[in-house]
Amino acid sequence: MKSLVILGAGTAGTTVANRLHALLDSDQWRITIVDQNETHYYQPGFLFIPFGIYSKNDVVKPKRDFIPAGVELIMSPIEHIDAEHNRVTLAKDRRILAYDFLVIATGCQTRPEQTPGLKDGAWGHTIHEFYTVDGAVALAKHLRTWRGGRLVVNVVDNPIKCPVAPLEFLMLADSYFTEHGLRDRVDITYATPLPGAFTKPIASRHLGDILERKSIKVVPDFLIERVDPDARRIVSYDEQSLEYDLLISVPLNMGDEVIARSGLGDDLNYVPVDKHTLQSTKFSNIFVLGDAASLPTSKAGSVAHFAVDCFADNFLRLIDGLDLLPTFDGHANCFIESGFGKGLLIDFNYDVEPLPGHYPLPGIGPFSLLQETEMNHWGKMMFRWMYWNLLLKGQELPLPARMTMAGKMYR
Amino acid sequence: MPTRTIAGKTVTVNDEGFMTNPAEWSKEIAAELATEEGLPALSEAHWKVIDFCRQEAAASGKAPTLRQITTGAAVSTKDLFALFPKGPAKKVARISGLGKPEGCV
Ligand SMILES: Cc1cc2nc3c(=O)[nH]c(=O)nc-3n(C[C@H](O)[C@H](O)[C@H](O)COP(=O)(O)OP(=O)(O)OC[C@H]3O[C@@H](n4cnc5c(N)ncnc54)[C@H](O)[C@@H]3O)c2cc1C
């Protein structure tokens, strides 16, 4: 009997548990998955909570409902990974799990305490966030009675999970305040450490233009050093200062502490992997899927899904003694909600930046790349159904794992 | 790939103006790129950071991120911003003849 242990039952862990459970012979393989938290959060839904579009109930389900019978689910914090000796120590009963193969899928979390002044007294009052369910719910409550003023959205540093989420927040805020008759009393500013609205040049230009049309001001190259909560201003390392009445922070994102404790991570607790096979660069029986990996692509659910597709095929090769194929291309496919019932879509990988065009069918769509359409908005809203019903269950989506150039246009 | 001439030498660059082959780099090129970036003459403190980034890239194959520079070259983020204002990681990478840091995707 061989043992496969999966750490983390979030998007990547749950998907890979389902996929491998279906593919591996249960007489020969024991699959165990560990998580500290009973609840599975549909994190893309957090974005909609502050604006009253979703409630907390729309984004939570029990983790157990998504783990197939035949896979052992253990609810416990993970204490330590001893990669030299192929075992994991859990907090609960100090149980030790030995493994032949390990999948790390512990994701990443926000760390507001890493920025001086951010988590002081004003946290939850004039400073809010939407990257956790509790933060998003508190912000919804705050916005219901907010009378307007200077709204500043700040990303502390990259990488963050879902790098388009702050842009979506800005555009939904514009839409929300317009609908509530408040827009002329709200000043919306985006302070980002990037040189423009987004990372890649063509998308940055498209998205920058859209923000400008919506009267959202972008302050680029703003790397925050500290918050001065009493003066209500954020200060960058090069002493630029921005005043706010309401600060929405996307705090520093880091991999889980268990990665640091186990000596497996980089400076932000992400695990270095081969970018085409997701195999740990240090241990050949460890693979890292989802946000926990140090990869030069977006940290997103869609990326985790494509990574699972490539990994599952490779894992079957590996156990049959074949070489791993360098199949993972960093493919990301993200709907960007842009307010007023519209959205955009971007599709890219390690080598090809987001380009305009149609997806998935060239010339037809139904989705348009880098353009605001109602169809893209429906794509985003349908994604929740796909997430719970297809993606987590490890089913193949009707989309290729590797990016295709068909339908994309260079200008 | 486009090419351009810097400090009398023809080098390949990408469309964002980053050199694509670190081996084509020289100290003279660094000085000229620094002027383009609006920096004054490169000081010892600048060179300490540039040297670190060159070494780091030679070992890992990619330009270090801001966090890797501050830890590795023992320079505070504040000082790094004073040396290479506005986006130091990107600026150093360009002056050091390395690709764009991958931190931002
Ligand atoms: C506001 C927001 C909007 C987003 N929008 C989108 C979007 O539109 N499209 C998209 O594709 N993606 C989006 N994402 C990103 C997406 O949610 C994540 O990329 C995805 O969930 C990553 O999956 P994962 O399995 O790597 O991590 P997670 O799903 O976060 O799972 C990690 C799991 O590991 C567990 N864990 C961690 N450490 C330990 C430990 N020490 N012991 C025990 N258990 C542990 C956690 O409890 C958690 O269940 C968004 C994210 C946010 C926050």
Side-chain angles (χ1 to χ4, degrees):
Chain A
M1 199 77 168
K2 291 228 185 250
S3 161
L4 170 74
V5 171
I6 303 168
L7 302 181
T11 313
T14 304
T15 309
V16 79
N18 279 291
R19 184 68 65 80
L20 288 184
H21 174 67
L23 292 174
L24 296 175
D25 179 350
S26 57
D27 290 334
Q28 289 181 35
W29 285 89
R30 184 170 57 236
I31 306 179
T32 311
I33 186 165
V34 189
D35 203 293
Q36 61 204 353
N37 194 330
E38 290 276 355
T39 309
H40 190 116
Y41 295 104
Y42 172 62
Q43 299 177 48
F46 295 175
L47 171 73
F48 296 106
I49 292 178
F51 308 106
I53 300 167
Y54 282 177
S55 71
K56 185 171 173 178
N57 290 341
D58 291 321
V59 300
V60 295
K61 288 192 196 281
K63 282 208 163 96
R64 285 183 192 284
D65 292 1
F66 296 91
I67 305 300
V71 170
E72 187 189 5
L73 170 65
I74 304 174
M75 301 300 347
S76 164
I78 301 148
E79 224 14 67
H80 187 78
I81 302 162
D82 181 356
E84 301 283 351
H85 299 101
N86 301 328
R87 62 190 181 206
V88 175
T89 309
L90 307 185
K92 195 166 144 200
D93 307 327
R94 309 246 355 122
R95 182 163 164 195
I96 290 176
L97 297 176
Y99 62 79
D100 295 292
F101 292 94
L102 184 70
V103 170
I104 299 178
T106 41
C108 67
Q109 300 103 35
T110 51
R111 297 289 171 81
E113 70 286 352
Q114 294 278 338
T115 304
L118 193 55
K119 240 200 142 170
D120 292 351
W123 185 254
H125 300 279
T126 48
I127 305 179
H128 280 264
E129 61 96 17
F130 63 95
Y131 264 55
T132 63
V133 75
D134 292 339
V137 168
L139 178 54
K141 199 166 162 210
H142 189 80
L143 286 182
R144 281 215 303 269
T145 55
W146 197 54
R147 311 280 295 271
R150 291 160 301 184
L151 174 75
V152 172
V153 177
N154 172 241
V155 172
V156 167
D157 202 356
N158 286 297
I160 55 171
K161 49 182 153 186
C162 197
V164 295
L167 299 173
E168 300 183 275
F169 184 91
L170 290 160
M171 296 190 282
L172 282 175
D174 167 62
S175 180
Y176 176 89
F177 293 125
T178 305
E179 276 155 22
H180 286 74
L182 265 180
R183 186 63 181 92
D184 54 345
R185 278 188 272 152
V186 182
D187 222 43
I188 308 181
T189 303
Y190 181 40
T192 166
L194 294 174
F198 193 57
T199 49
K200 315 269 181 149
I202 295 179
S204 184
R205 219 175 316 126
H206 273 262
L207 292 164
D209 289 349
I210 294 174
L211 294 185
E212 201 179 315
R213 260 186 272 133
K214 295 179 188 285
S215 299
I216 296 167
K217 193 174 146 214
V218 179
V219 179
D221 294 318
F222 189 100
L223 189 67
I224 188 172
E225 183 197 12
R226 62 179 196 276
V227 184
D228 187 346
D230 297 327
R232 283 194 302 221
R233 58 188 192 121
I234 54 175
V235 183
S236 71
Y237 277 105
D238 51 357
E239 297 296 331
Q240 301 176 64
S241 163
L242 269 179
E243 293 185 354
Y244 62 82
D245 295 300
L246 176 58
L247 174 65
I248 309 298
S249 175
V250 179
L252 187 67
N253 282 207
M254 288 177 75
D256 195 79
E257 276 303 309
V258 70
I259 303 299
R261 282 199 298 273
S262 311
L264 289 173
D266 63 13
D267 44 347
L268 287 170
N269 302 346
Y270 296 123
V271 187
V273 290
D274 179 285
K275 69 177 190 176
H276 296 298
T277 63
L278 310 156
Q279 185 177 38
S280 151
T281 49
K282 277 217 231 126
F283 300 95
S284 62
N285 61 341
I286 298 184
F287 291 82
V288 189
L289 301 175
D291 297 348
S294 168
L295 282 178
T297 187
S298 288
K299 295 194 179 300
S302 62
V303 178
H305 174 80
F306 296 134
V308 168
D309 278 352
C310 296
F311 164 73
D313 290 346
N314 258 330
F315 191 66
L316 296 184
R317 291 178 61 86
L318 184 70
I319 60 180
D320 284 341
L322 300 171
D323 286 342
L324 298 176
L325 295 176
T327 43
F328 185 63
D329 64 356
H331 188 191
N333 178 279
C334 304
F335 285 104
I336 307 177
E337 192 64 12
S338 64
F340 302 100
K342 289 190 176 170
L344 294 91
L345 176 64
I346 53 176
D347 190 65
F348 60 102
N349 70 8
Y350 290 141
D351 303 317
V352 179
E353 62 173 307
L355 296 170
H358 292 280
Y359 186 88
L361 300 177
I364 298 173
F367 302 116
S368 311
L369 296 166
L370 271 177
Q371 266 172 50
E372 278 192 276
T373 67
E374 281 178 26
M375 186 53 103
N376 289 341
H377 162 73
W378 289 112
K380 177 108 190 171
M381 300 323 259
M382 263 155 44
F383 187 64
R384 182 169 62 129
W385 185 88
M386 294 228 302
Y387 184 88
W388 293 122
N389 294 288
L390 299 177
L391 196 146
L392 285 185
K393 295 184 177 159
Q395 310 213 3
E396 307 260 359
L397 300 189
L399 301 171
R402 291 168 70 89
M403 203 206 72
T404 151
M405 278 311 288
K408 296 194 172 66
M409 296 178 297
Y410 272 110
R411 285 249 175 86
Chain B
M1 281 282 181
T3 59
R4 58 169 292 207
T5 307
I6 317 171
K9 212 173 149 196
T10 305
V11 300
T12 48
V13 292
N14 70 8
D15 36 349
E16 289 181 79
F18 285 80
M19 287 174 60
T20 52
N21 180 0
E24 292 176 343
W25 177 88
S26 69
K27 298 216 160 193
E28 293 69 41
I29 290 181
E32 190 160 322
L33 288 174
T35 313
E36 277 177 22
E37 291 286 346
L39 300 188
L42 292 174
S43 68
E44 206 174 305
H46 287 107
W47 282 112
K48 187 177 140 200
V49 175
I50 295 171
D51 289 343
F52 167 78
C53 292
R54 296 274 312 169
Q55 280 162 21
E56 183 69 19
S60 72
K62 48 192 181 202
T65 61
L66 185 124
R67 230 161 263 281
Q68 286 158 349
I69 299 172
T70 50
T71 340
V75 49
S76 73
T77 311
K78 195 106 191 166
D79 291 344
L80 194 61
F81 265 89
L83 289 169
F84 302 93
K86 300 218 166 200
K90 206 176 131 187
K91 221 163 243 192
V92 187
R94 197 166 104 81
I95 295 172
S96 309
L98 308 170
K100 189 173 168 183
E102 280 179 341
C104 34
V105 196

